[in-house]
Amino acid sequence: MKAVVVVTLLFVVTVVGQSYYRLPQPYTYACKDSRCIRTERAGAREVRSLRNCQLTCGKYGALWPQPTGDVQLASDTVTFIPKNVEVTKMATSSPEVREMLQEAYRVFRRNLHYLHPDYPEEFKRPIIPRTGSSFQQQHQFNAGNGINGAPIRGFKIDQEVAFVSPFLKQQKRNGVRPGVERQNINVEITVTSPEDKLTLDTDESYNLVVQTVDDTTTVTILATTYYGARHALESLSQLIAFDDTTNSLSIVRDAKIQDEPKFKFRGIMLDTGRNFYPKQDIMRLLDAMSHNKMNYFHWHITDAASFPMYSNRRPEMAYYGAYSPRKVYYPEDITEIVKYAKLRGISVIPEIDGPAHTSAGWEWGEREGKGKLVLCTDKNQPWFAVGKEPPSGQLNPVNTELYPILGELYSDLLDYFDPEMVHMGGDDVSFKCWANSDEVTQYLAANNKESNSREFFELWNTYQRNALAKLREAAGPARPVTPIIHSSSFAENYLDKDTYIIQINEFANNTDITKYINKGFKVIFANQDQWRIDCSASSWLGDKAESCAQELPTWEHFYKNSPLDMLYNLGISNARSGQTEGAVNPSEHVLGGVATLWSSETDANGFQAKTWPRVSALAERLWTDPILPQRSIDTSQKRLNTQRQRMVDLGIRADPIQPEYCMHDESACYSREYFETHTGAQQGHAQP
């Protein structure tokens, strides 16, 4: 009879203001051995929700990526509601930086509302920057808006979410406990540098302090640059979670974080040439990157299949090369994406591929008297006879009309992106194409050269030398631009180490990798067997599909693949020590890494789940570069579960890495290796 009474009581409990019954939570969560353990709440001294427990459990709580400096987190939290968060100080030395900070804070405040489980998913959309002359008026800033540290009051974001945010309904109807509304969160931000453009030399470090005294929590952010301050706001958001026991937000009561990244380059490459991605979906990718403190978006904007970038100087390219007029990135789209990325701490690296991966968009050459700008596009010739995947096509290196057109495209590229670096492609060049081209073979014969690999390498060199000259001409002397090119035997043997950055695509155990380091190249790792996103199912034709690893990369592949450990395992003994052997210090030449998403079998409908949270694991690898005993993998896994759930709360459709059960009892999903190492248990024998 007693059991029946208990069950009945469970079902008569209601949520105030709701027209339906909702079960209460029978469990509480306690932190034991850096893991949140679920127990029944009856008789518990303290009732904590799972997300509240995750904030303070373990040395790093729910922080992702793991900070590289000192971290101190209190073991308890205080509760508040978003309307009580306010910037009380914003000290900068630059109006541009101040405006960027205002926008970053606007995004931070909006994301607090997204954390409520009842926030409608359909309203979690990219938030468009509000910059320009009306920005401050729109957000009701008072006079003295923070250049010298004067307080900023009245920063309004709530009107944007008021009509849908559960936090902004009447608090009594929402069941918020009395006292929660009294807690104020005051944010003070100081940025000392006027630098507003991200480069490889930008200081991304920050210091974050949270102190609570009575009903006031003061958050102090100190950073050299905007980018460090933006990362600090991201970390601050990870000290906050929805608390369903109070229907409000919790923040770690006191915290100190000193942090800076280990690697300068932490990127994602997205291919929009094979399949088109709408602007809003690219912005969602940038949002997700910012939640993981990634800082470079490599935009592989064109390919042989389509040329979706509108060129002011050569509109013929998109006219003939886009899939449709609706699937074009117009200049205003690109500049909006670039600005959106910048505010999220991300620099965009554009790529117009060449000499391979070109076909669509170049068809107009002959009809305008320019000759064949591309070769091997004959539809009557099978693609595999002349190329590495359909559609085949390569730029014509012996057509002098080609290079001025490239120069015009580069000029547009520089106008739209104002990039620090430009990726020039250089991968998958097919000598079969040139060997089967009358234009190339006739050119070689006229110059007393044979159609062999040596001469084709020289043709490749001719193309790349001329293309680089046009890129530099477009940039001019006042705007230096660094070219990036894919690794290859050509890149290794022909390119200048002081001019190019090499993107290394080889498998992680390939000894060719060490050649670039030993020759003094700066490199970005993109190992196809470890950091390639799209190889979940490869039925596509050609080289890109064939280069997929037989074993599908999991989040652990992304996490464990340290560039410096890889070099050490390949025989470069000083890779981690940083000591110079001869003329090379490997740590100075490894800029970082990039995950690659080729879009043969992916478009905007499924790319988020393919990308996240596997690339979140890469983000911590490149930010923190942790040393990995087995214990680290297990504790990282629990934080990655939390990071994935946070991203889902923010509108990112990230896949789970485990059943949700593993979050509700974090001691239940040990790996066998961890269990046997840390509990003393052996297979087939229970621990007494």
Side-chain angles (χ1 to χ4, degrees), residues 366-568:
E366 286 187 272
R367 69 173 58 96
E368 291 195 14
K370 303 290 186 183
K372 285 188 176 181
L373 300 174
V374 288
L375 305 171
C376 307
T377 59
D378 186 352
K379 301 298 187 293
N380 296 317
Q381 191 172 32
W383 65 267
F384 49 81
V386 291
K388 296 193 175 184
E389 69 173 278
S392 58
Q394 290 187 179
L395 292 173
N396 184 355
V398 301
N399 184 349
T400 57
E401 295 283 357
L402 168 69
Y403 299 106
I405 297 168
L406 271 179
E408 292 179 289
L409 295 177
Y410 290 146
S411 293
D412 283 332
L413 209 67
L414 296 173
D415 289 346
Y416 303 161
F417 291 91
D418 188 25
E420 173 195 13
M421 293 171 277
V422 168
H423 205 296
M424 301 187 76
D427 60 330
D428 296 337
V429 174
S430 172
F431 288 170
K432 292 187 296 184
C433 170
W434 290 342
N436 284 276
S437 166
D438 291 339
E439 286 81 358
V440 171
T441 55
Q442 289 171 10
Y443 169 85
L444 293 174
N447 288 274
N448 298 317
K449 297 179 179 180
E450 297 181 4
S451 295
N452 56 31
S453 294
R454 177 180 177 180
E455 296 302 336
F456 292 147
F457 272 115
E458 289 297 334
L459 272 184
W460 194 350
N461 191 39
T462 297
Y463 163 81
Q464 190 59 43
R465 186 174 61 248
N466 289 335
L468 178 62
K470 288 300 179 182
L471 176 63
R472 286 177 165 173
E473 181 183 316
R479 184 166 55 176
V481 177
T482 300
I484 305 173
I485 198 167
H486 288 288
S487 57
S488 67
S489 54
F490 168 76
E492 176 194 335
N493 294 310
Y494 282 80
L495 299 185
D496 176 22
K497 66 179 179 60
D498 296 321
T499 299
Y500 288 88
I501 294 171
I502 304 298
Q503 179 177 315
I504 293 180
N505 300 312
E506 284 82 357
F507 280 23
N509 62 356
N510 191 324
T511 56
D512 287 346
I513 293 172
T514 62
K515 297 177 182 178
Y516 298 99
I517 300 298
N518 290 331
K519 289 186 176 183
F521 281 100
K522 286 185 167 58
V523 299
I524 297 166
F525 280 85
N527 306 108
Q528 295 294 287
D529 58 330
Q530 305 291 319
W531 292 351
R532 185 169 167 185
I533 303 168
D534 58 293
C535 288
S536 56
S538 282
S539 58
W540 177 241
L541 306 168
D543 181 80
K544 283 290 180 286
E546 292 172 1
S547 64
C548 282
Q550 291 186 350
E551 182 180 4
L552 174 66
T554 67
W555 77 267
E556 289 194 47
H557 288 91
F558 282 80
Y559 196 76
K560 292 179 178 179
N561 189 44
S562 167
L564 298 183
D565 288 344
M566 187 193 320
L567 293 179
Y568 180 85

Side-chain angles (χ1 to χ4, degrees), residues 117-125 648-653:
D118 295 333
Y119 196 100
E121 289 295 322
E122 63 268 25
F123 290 102
K124 294 180 180 180
R125 298 186 291 254
V648 171
D649 293 341
L650 296 175
I652 308 302
R653 296 188 178 277

Side-chain angles (χ1 to χ4, degrees), residues 192-475:
T192 57
S193 170
E195 177 184 354
D196 65 353
K197 183 175 180 179
L198 178 73
T199 71
L200 288 172
D201 295 324
T202 296
D203 184 344
E204 297 180 82
S205 66
Y206 66 89
N207 287 303
L208 171 65
V209 177
V210 179
Q211 294 178 304
T212 300
V213 178
D214 299 327
D215 291 338
T216 300
T217 298
T218 302
V219 177
T220 305
I221 292 172
L222 177 62
T224 302
T225 68
Y226 163 79
Y227 298 93
R230 197 223 65 84
H231 294 326
L233 283 172
E234 201 67 53
S235 291
L236 175 61
S237 74
Q238 296 174 2
L239 299 177
I240 298 170
F242 179 77
D243 186 353
D244 55 15
T245 64
T246 61
N247 201 37
S248 59
L249 295 175
S250 293
I251 184 172
V252 177
R253 177 181 291 274
D254 298 290
K256 291 183 180 180
I257 301 173
Q258 294 177 320
D259 200 10
E260 63 179 329
K262 291 289 189 180
F263 291 104
K264 299 176 179 181
F265 192 107
R266 308 175 304 280
I268 291 178
M269 186 284 292
L270 178 67
D271 160 25
T272 62
R274 290 173 175 83
N275 277 311
F276 183 85
Y277 290 71
K279 177 176 67 175
Q280 295 286 318
D281 291 284
I282 293 176
M283 288 177 168
R284 287 187 179 93
L285 176 63
L286 295 169
D287 281 336
M289 289 178 65
S290 73
H291 300 325
N292 292 275
K293 299 188 178 75
M294 304 188 80
N295 65 347
Y296 280 99
F297 173 46
H298 169 189
W299 189 354
H300 182 89
I301 195 167
T302 70
D303 208 275
S306 77
F307 196 106
M309 186 191 84
Y310 183 86
S311 166
N312 282 326
R313 292 171 173 84
R314 284 294 175 180
E316 305 98 321
M317 300 301 299
Y319 179 76
Y320 288 103
Y323 286 132
S324 81
R326 294 181 180 274
K327 295 184 176 182
V328 173
Y329 302 108
Y330 293 96
E332 56 269 26
D333 298 320
I334 294 172
T335 54
E336 189 172 1
I337 288 170
V338 170
K339 180 181 291 186
Y340 193 89
K342 181 178 181 180
L343 290 169
R344 282 149 185 79
I346 299 165
S347 179
V348 183
I349 299 173
E351 177 188 356
I352 296 177
D353 209 344
H357 293 294
T358 54
S359 179
W362 297 90
E363 298 93 333
W364 55 272
E366 286 187 272
R367 69 173 58 96
E368 291 195 14
K370 303 290 186 183
K372 285 188 176 181
L373 300 174
V374 288
L375 305 171
C376 307
T377 59
D378 186 352
K379 301 298 187 293
N380 296 317
Q381 191 172 32
W383 65 267
F384 49 81
V386 291
K388 296 193 175 184
E389 69 173 278
S392 58
Q394 290 187 179
L395 292 173
N396 184 355
V398 301
N399 184 349
T400 57
E401 295 283 357
L402 168 69
Y403 299 106
I405 297 168
L406 271 179
E408 292 179 289
L409 295 177
Y410 290 146
S411 293
D412 283 332
L413 209 67
L414 296 173
D415 289 346
Y416 303 161
F417 291 91
D418 188 25
E420 173 195 13
M421 293 171 277
V422 168
H423 205 296
M424 301 187 76
D427 60 330
D428 296 337
V429 174
S430 172
F431 288 170
K432 292 187 296 184
C433 170
W434 290 342
N436 284 276
S437 166
D438 291 339
E439 286 81 358
V440 171
T441 55
Q442 289 171 10
Y443 169 85
L444 293 174
N447 288 274
N448 298 317
K449 297 179 179 180
E450 297 181 4
S451 295
N452 56 31
S453 294
R454 177 180 177 180
E455 296 302 336
F456 292 147
F457 272 115
E458 289 297 334
L459 272 184
W460 194 350
N461 191 39
T462 297
Y463 163 81
Q464 190 59 43
R465 186 174 61 248
N466 289 335
L468 178 62
K470 288 300 179 182
L471 176 63
R472 286 177 165 173
E473 181 183 316

Side-chain angles (χ1 to χ4, degrees), residues 17-176:
Q18 302 289 352
S19 59
Y20 56 88
Y21 294 103
R22 179 179 291 167
L23 288 171
Q25 171 60 264
Y27 301 111
T28 184
Y29 296 82
C31 183
K32 297 179 181 179
D33 190 27
S34 298
R35 294 177 182 273
C36 290
I37 308 300
R38 183 173 70 178
T39 59
E40 289 197 41
R41 65 190 294 175
R45 290 182 300 175
E46 181 184 22
V47 178
R48 299 186 72 181
S49 67
L50 171 61
R51 296 193 182 185
N52 185 292
C53 176
Q54 290 168 335
L55 290 177
T56 60
C57 192
K59 180 177 180 180
Y60 300 107
L63 294 169
W64 191 278
Q66 174 184 309
T68 57
D70 183 44
V71 176
Q72 300 176 35
L73 302 179
S75 60
D76 58 341
T77 61
V78 294
T79 53
F80 69 99
I81 52 179
K83 74 181 184 67
N84 288 349
V85 180
E86 185 175 35
V87 170
T88 55
K89 175 183 176 182
M90 189 176 287
T92 74
S93 59
S94 161
E96 291 79 10
V97 170
R98 184 181 69 253
E99 187 172 277
M100 291 169 68
L101 283 173
Q102 291 165 357
E103 186 66 22
Y105 176 71
R106 176 176 176 239
V107 174
F108 166 79
R109 278 288 301 272
R110 178 213 59 178
N111 287 349
L112 294 182
H113 291 270
Y114 282 12
L115 296 178
H116 198 295
D118 295 333
Y119 196 100
E121 289 295 322
E122 63 268 25
F123 290 102
K124 294 180 180 180
R125 298 186 291 254
I127 184 169
I128 304 302
R130 290 185 177 179
T131 56
S133 59
S134 62
F135 180 84
Q136 293 178 3
Q137 296 175 358
Q138 290 172 339
H139 295 283
Q140 302 178 24
F141 283 90
N142 68 345
N145 48 12
I147 291 182
N148 295 312
I152 293 179
R153 299 285 179 182
F155 191 100
K156 300 298 182 183
I157 178 83
D158 292 355
Q159 67 270 22
E160 297 182 355
V161 293
F163 72 104
V164 292
S165 176
F167 285 119
L168 298 176
K169 299 175 183 178
Q170 292 182 9
Q171 300 304 318
K172 289 184 179 179
R173 284 179 54 203
N174 242 10
V176 175

